[in-house]
Amino acid sequence: IPGHDHQRPQEVTLEEVRAVLGDCRLCPLCETRHNIVFGVGNPNARVMFVGEGPGKNEDLKGEPFVGAAGHNLDDLLALAGLRREDVYIANVVKCRPPSNRNPRPEEIEACSPFLREQIRSIWPDVIVCLGNFATHFVLRTEAGITGLRGRMHQTGHFVVMPTFHPAAALYHREWQSYLDDDFRMLGRWLEEHPAS
Ligand code: URA
């Protein structure tokens, strides 16, 4: 994670991070967004999910993963024995890229302090990276998901599970069974590593 010192820092609350984000105008995505999609969930979550960026429904609602990908995510959470209220969900970029294009490097750069601070605040045991953008952000690798998924990775304090993006599996149906397998693996990991 860029700039991460892997030491639990002094407490920073999600409310404080959200307040600093304010009505952010740090990158051009502010011109076209309807709402900033900061993130939702349990501030003490053991598992934090990181997606790519808001889509149309998320932009309109101001909440992550509320469209078709979100329904898939809900089903996947159940496979891991988790409910949405147990976890925290955020994205690499907080504002919707027009027409759901990929976020640009300068947009990711502008937004990255906020995700970094969210991670510091929640201090989860496991970070689940949904898709390439989250994986590249957290694991600092250019390697593709296909070669990284299917096992837990360790980076500093965090265990990281890179997996396919739940929206991608709606187009590549053959990826869904890998996603299912990964979330079952997550469930097993949580059972084997009870909260301390
Ligand atoms: N895809 C994402 O990456 N994030 C969302 O919040 C919704 C869809």
Side-chain angles (χ1 to χ4, degrees):
I1 302 168
H4 208 288
D5 57 10
H6 302 297
Q7 294 291 314
R8 179 156 213 171
Q10 76 279 24
E11 289 281 324
V12 49
T13 68
L14 289 169
E15 288 75 19
E16 285 164 347
V17 182
R18 180 65 189 85
V20 174
L21 181 60
D23 183 36
C24 180
R25 312 210 65 83
L26 289 176
C27 91
L29 296 181
C30 71
E31 306 293 342
T32 48
R33 71 165 183 241
H34 290 96
N35 287 293
I36 293 177
V37 180
F38 179 64
V40 287
N42 183 343
N44 302 310
R46 293 193 72 201
V47 188
M48 176 170 178
F49 291 83
V50 181
E52 177 178 323
K56 188 171 198 266
N57 295 293
E58 290 78 20
D59 174 56
L60 292 174
K61 249 194 123 176
E63 223 183 276
F65 285 96
V66 291
H71 294 138
N72 194 13
L73 181 60
D74 286 335
D75 292 343
L76 289 161
L77 288 174
L79 287 179
L82 293 167
R83 297 161 307 170
R84 207 176 251 251
E85 56 265 38
D86 298 326
V87 305
Y88 193 87
I89 308 174
N91 283 306
V92 172
V93 294
K94 310 290 188 237
C95 298
R96 183 192 183 200
S99 314
N100 300 342
R101 66 159 169 75
N102 289 340
R104 296 182 173 143
E106 61 274 21
E107 294 161 355
I108 294 172
E109 180 69 22
C111 215
S112 64
F114 303 103
L115 178 57
R116 195 157 60 231
E117 291 303 313
Q118 283 171 301
I119 294 170
R120 277 157 62 100
S121 177
I122 295 161
W123 209 249
D125 293 337
V126 185
I127 302 175
V128 177
C129 299
L130 303 169
N132 278 311
F133 285 90
T135 301
H136 295 169
F137 182 89
V138 172
L139 286 181
R140 297 276 93 190
T141 173
E142 292 303 311
I145 292 290
T146 316
L148 295 171
R149 64 149 292 277
R151 63 187 192 279
M152 299 304 219
H153 299 247
Q154 184 81 42
T155 172
H157 169 80
F158 304 108
V159 169
V160 178
M161 186 182 100
T163 190
F164 292 117
H165 193 290
L170 300 176
Y171 299 98
H172 301 269
R173 297 305 316 187
E174 70 279 14
W175 292 355
Q176 186 68 41
S177 64
Y178 296 115
L179 255 175
D180 292 352
D181 287 347
D182 289 350
F183 275 71
R184 285 193 199 96
M185 173 177 73
L186 173 63
R188 285 195 303 276
W189 190 94
L190 291 168
E191 265 181 29
E192 289 161 12
H193 300 81
S196 47

